[in-house]
Amino acid sequence: MLEHQHLIVRATVLDPITSVEVINKWLIDLVDKIDMKILMGPFSTYCETEGNEGITATCIIETSHIAIHIWDRDLPPLIQLDVYSCAPVDLDVVFAHLGVMKPQNLSYQFLDRNHNVKFVKGEDLSF
């Protein structure tokens, strides 16, 4: 049975990923760790627009998606991550995978979108 789980994360980090190649590998590894399958991608680009510099990357996974935006020139650098999955998502696995970027603060909301949109859990975490 499909689960329709949606994780939304906002984090400030000490060591943001700034390379398109590295973020693509990071996404591939995350998909593997949450036991999903890539259907297309990952796709990523670096935005050079002043005030909006950073990486945007997406990966299409079995009827779902992962999207991440990293503003590496913000002080502190900011990450916005969106994981929508048709299978159960282990939050600890996703948070551990973000560890490579050395999160300082992380807040998230976890939604159950199976029959309606229901808030399941959310927290503000400091590292």
Side-chain angles (χ1 to χ4, degrees):
M1 179 172 169
L2 300 180
E3 296 288 329
H4 301 289
Q5 296 184 343
H6 194 165
L7 173 64
I8 301 165
V9 177
R10 181 189 193 279
T12 57
V13 299
L14 295 174
D15 193 14
I17 293 173
T18 60
S19 160
V20 168
E21 292 79 17
V22 174
I23 199 64
N24 285 345
K25 171 98 170 77
W26 186 90
L27 281 169
I28 290 166
D29 291 345
L30 178 59
V31 171
D32 183 55
K33 287 179 180 180
I34 64 172
D35 201 28
M36 290 297 289
K37 179 182 172 188
I38 293 174
L39 296 180
M40 291 183 72
F43 306 99
S44 59
T45 191
Y46 191 91
C47 176
E48 295 283 354
T49 303
E50 186 175 338
N52 197 28
E53 297 92 350
I55 288 179
T56 293
T58 62
C59 190
I60 299 169
I61 57 178
E62 294 181 332
T63 69
S64 307
H65 70 271
I66 299 172
I68 187 166
H69 311 281
I70 304 171
W71 289 270
D72 61 313
R73 296 187 193 166
D74 284 6
L75 295 175
L78 174 64
I79 292 175
Q80 301 275 6
L81 173 66
D82 185 80
V83 179
Y84 179 77
S85 175
C86 59
V89 174
D90 186 332
L91 303 182
D92 292 332
V93 170
V94 177
F95 298 153
H97 197 64
L98 282 167
V100 70
M101 292 185 261
K102 300 178 184 166
Q104 292 180 294
N105 294 293
L106 182 147
S107 61
Y108 72 93
Q109 291 199 352
F110 191 60
L111 306 172
D112 175 347
R113 295 173 56 169
N114 223 15
H115 300 289
N116 55 28
V117 178
K118 180 175 76 175
F119 177 77
V120 175
K121 185 177 180 183
E123 289 186 59
D124 291 324
L125 307 172
S126 294
F127 295 85

